[in-house]
């Protein structure tokens, strides 16, 4: 019985650390050629935001609709 309790504690710790890691790295940013704008991708929902910061300080972000898809790999 103590083995099962220990295994459950380890499993709970792994799941909790995975959840914290997923929430901590939720957004990914991509720079654009100009320094005034950047793209922000929400990994959880898949939404894409275009952010503008013409002056130093807080940027304003608007949701953009991204169209298209990634093509499938060709069979060899």
């Amino acid at each position: 019985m103590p083995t099962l309790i220990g295994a459950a504690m380890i499993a709970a710790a792994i799941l909790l650390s995975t959840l914290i890691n997923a929430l901590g790295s939720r957004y990914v940013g991509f720079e654009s050629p100009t320094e005034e704008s950047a793209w922000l991708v929400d990994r959880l929902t898949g939404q894409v935001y275009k952010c503008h910061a013409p002056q130093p300080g807080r940027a304003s972000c608007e949701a953009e609709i991204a169209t298209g898809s990634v093509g499938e790999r060709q069979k060899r």
Side-chain angles (χ1 to χ4, degrees), residues 26-64:
R26 180 175 175 179
Y27 295 100
V28 177
F30 297 99
E31 294 181 9
S32 65
T34 64
E35 293 183 6
E36 294 182 357
S37 64
W39 294 92
L40 190 65
V41 179
D42 185 353
R43 289 184 180 182
L44 191 60
T45 63
Q47 289 187 326
V48 179
Y49 299 95
K50 186 174 184 181
C51 301
H52 298 282
Q55 300 173 4
R58 181 171 277 198
S60 63
C61 298
E62 300 173 0
E64 291 282 330

